[in-house]
Amino acid sequence: MDYKTVLTTCPYCGCGCNFYLEVLDGKILAPIPCKTSPTNEGKLCIKGWNAHEFIQSPNRLTGPLVRKNGELVAVSWDEALDYTVSRLKEIKDSHGGDSIAFFSSAKVTNEENYLLQKFARAGIGTNSVDHCARL
Amino acid sequence: MIKTVQERVKALLDSGEIAGFLGLKEAGGHIGPHLFTPEENGLDGLVLGDWKGPGDARYTLNKQLIHLARAYPDETFGVLVRGCDERGLKSLYVWNQLSPEKVVPVGIACPPELAKACECSKPYPDALVAGEKGEGCAQETLKQVEALGLADRFGYWQKEFDRCIKCYGCRDVCPMCFCKECSLEDPDLVNTGDVPPDNPTFHLTRAVHMAGRCIDCGLCNEVCPVGIPLRTLYKKVADIIDEEFGYRTGQAADEKSPLNILAGAS
Ligand code: SF4
Ligand code: SF4
Ligand code: SF4
């Protein structure tokens, strides 16, 4: 029997609510909102209450996929990145930077978000930058 | 108080009477649930759930106990209980969610300050290990709401329910919510997938479902991000069940709830 309660931070938005993940024999059962967290004081929103679900979901992406002949195919990171770079270049050259939008995340650091918007604005030439917490 | 509890838990673990003790642990500046096991060697960080005030870092340990008991039905576990948690245990025995032979409650009494804030009928468990048995408190908040006329009372509740963000936290935290299929996810009863929830249907659906179930621990009230006084609502439901059937949830471990008799549960 291996029962753990692991204190962590909700991955959904930028608030940073804390909860314990109840883990029994390697399987996550549920979040338990942390009462001593100054951020959420033992409360969560519906996203936090279900934050554990994607972790063990069979539908979770665990590596890059590229659509080839209409089918999603697992590829290496190198191949995925090369493909992305070449397509971004093509689209920018033929339709301009404003035809591209970037989608960042509230789950990453400020610095990573800074880098992404810098790349979008200075590298590609678009102001269309948004993030997942606007879901 | 903590010393007495530590000694009791240590004795239980050392004797092999329990496979683990579900209690609270302070680590890294936070207090949360923790399973103390014999392999862990010691009870470092064991606390009783008092942080800035008495009982403000209580958790729904019975809910976690159900998870453990379902996975390890042959093991016996110790669990930290207050008066309300013991009411919960008794009721969970009645509903066949836990087996009394497999649970060793380690009880602590709540101080008068907490009993008053909870307006608790019995702020200590029978399985008392540490603390002083305090007096039960009168239901002042409920009386105040009941003193309102019908229209005002309905208005009061509608205004409260209007703030609901439909997080389902009240259900998710509740140690007495163990149904496989939840009526709050039944599209015939609730506008599933939409916010805001129907007012007052959503809340009354839950209130009715807590009849004969709610053991008045107040954890739903504490978890509600918008501060809806859910506990007051469920206290009223409990009073109705008492008036109609002479049944108080969690008072006796061998008395079936009138509703589980009606539902034909064995
Ligand atoms: S409901 Fe009663 S037993 Fe439970 S925490 Fe409040 S005072 Fe203590
Ligand atoms: S007070 Fe709330 S959390 Fe506690 S048993 Fe009743 S409904 Fe459940
Ligand atoms: S915890 Fe409060 S906000 Fe969340 S669903 Fe329950 S009543 Fe609504």
Side-chain angles (χ1 to χ4, degrees):
Chain A
M1 176 180 20
D2 180 18
Y3 181 84
K4 282 198 272 282
T5 44
V6 185
L7 184 61
T8 186
T9 305
C10 180
Y12 271 122
C13 83
C15 283
C17 295
N18 293 125
F19 50 69
Y20 293 89
L21 281 175
E22 205 185 343
V23 190
L24 180 59
D25 296 325
K27 191 170 179 292
I28 300 173
L29 303 178
I32 305 167
C34 176
K35 290 208 156 181
T36 47
S37 165
T39 316
N40 55 311
E41 297 177 336
K43 301 154 194 357
L44 290 174
C45 79
I46 192 161
K47 292 189 281 180
W49 274 112
N50 296 286
H52 62 301
E53 287 189 352
F54 75 86
I55 303 172
Q56 292 160 153
S57 165
N59 296 329
R60 185 178 174 184
L61 279 184
T62 51
L65 303 175
V66 168
R67 200 178 296 277
K68 295 181 178 174
N69 302 323
E71 290 280 317
L72 285 169
V73 179
V75 295
S76 69
W77 278 106
D78 277 346
E79 184 181 337
L81 288 170
D82 287 348
Y83 175 75
T84 308
V85 171
S86 64
R87 284 292 290 144
L88 281 176
K89 273 188 186 150
E90 274 169 41
I91 295 167
K92 181 175 183 289
D93 290 346
S94 51
H95 301 287
D98 268 339
S99 62
I100 300 171
F102 284 82
F103 206 58
S104 183
S105 172
K107 305 173 198 175
V108 302
T109 63
N110 277 337
E111 289 74 11
E112 285 162 322
N113 274 319
Y114 175 82
L115 277 177
L116 186 102
Q117 66 79 36
K118 192 74 177 174
F119 174 63
R121 292 195 165 91
I124 303 286
T126 177
N127 285 324
S128 301
V129 185
D130 214 322
H131 61 92
C132 69
R134 211 192 288 274
L135 289 177
Chain B
M1 195 146 143
I2 182 83
K3 269 229 124 54
T4 322
V5 173
Q6 268 170 347
E7 280 163 18
R8 172 83 178 126
V9 174
K10 191 174 178 312
L12 286 170
L13 285 172
D14 287 352
S15 69
E17 197 179 325
I18 57 173
F21 176 73
L22 198 54
L24 300 170
K25 181 172 176 166
E26 184 165 356
H30 289 287
I31 298 174
H34 183 80
L35 183 72
F36 294 88
T37 57
E39 296 78 45
E40 223 178 1
N41 251 330
L43 296 169
D44 281 352
L46 176 72
V47 290
L48 303 179
D50 308 319
W51 184 45
K52 289 182 180 162
D56 59 352
R58 295 186 291 138
Y59 283 84
T60 173
L61 295 175
N62 283 347
K63 189 149 202 154
Q64 284 122 59
L65 185 61
I66 295 174
H67 292 161
L68 279 167
R70 277 188 192 151
Y72 291 92
D74 296 333
E75 299 286 8
T76 301
F77 295 98
V79 61
L80 181 71
V81 297
R82 293 175 186 263
C84 51
D85 303 311
E86 188 179 73
R87 295 196 285 273
L89 284 180
K90 287 181 183 170
S91 198
L92 289 164
Y93 301 152
V94 167
W95 286 96
N96 298 321
Q97 298 301 310
L98 288 171
S99 151
E101 300 82 46
K102 298 289 172 195
V103 179
V104 181
V106 174
I108 55 169
C110 295
E113 188 187 341
L114 180 56
K116 195 151 181 289
C118 290
E119 297 183 346
C120 177
S121 58
K122 183 166 169 274
Y124 60 87
D126 295 333
L128 190 65
V129 168
E132 296 282 314
K133 286 184 185 176
E135 294 285 315
C137 296
Q139 306 296 317
E140 295 301 337
T141 315
L142 183 56
K143 268 193 221 139
Q144 279 166 20
V145 179
E146 286 189 310
L148 298 171
L150 187 59
D152 285 348
R153 213 184 319 147
F154 193 62
Y156 165 83
W157 283 112
Q158 282 219 304
K159 212 163 152 236
E160 293 290 345
F161 297 155
D162 248 356
R163 295 199 307 274
C164 177
I165 60 165
K166 211 178 176 201
C167 66
Y168 283 86
C170 44
R171 178 213 47 193
D172 290 345
V173 82
C174 177
M176 304 310 297
C177 277
F178 49 73
C179 297
K180 284 207 179 84
E181 280 165 34
C182 176
S183 30
L184 293 180
E185 291 176 18
D186 182 342
D188 291 336
L189 295 170
V190 165
N191 58 335
T192 51
D194 275 333
V195 274
D198 295 325
N199 181 354
T201 323
F202 182 83
H203 301 89
L204 294 188
T205 301
R206 177 149 206 277
V208 169
H209 213 193
M210 292 326 286
R213 283 265 195 111
C214 170
I215 41 84
D216 191 26
C217 67
L219 289 166
C220 51
N221 219 113
E222 291 182 11
V223 88
C224 180
V226 294
I228 299 172
L230 297 164
R231 186 176 202 170
T232 311
L233 183 69
Y234 307 146
K235 277 180 192 277
K236 176 63 190 173
V237 174
D239 278 359
I240 296 172
I241 291 292
D242 198 5
E243 279 156 27
E244 295 297 323
F245 299 99
Y247 178 80
R248 270 282 159 198
T249 314
Q251 241 172 29
D254 49 4
E255 193 186 355
K256 289 256 182 266
S257 148
L259 297 170
N260 82 3
I261 293 168
L262 286 177
S266 54

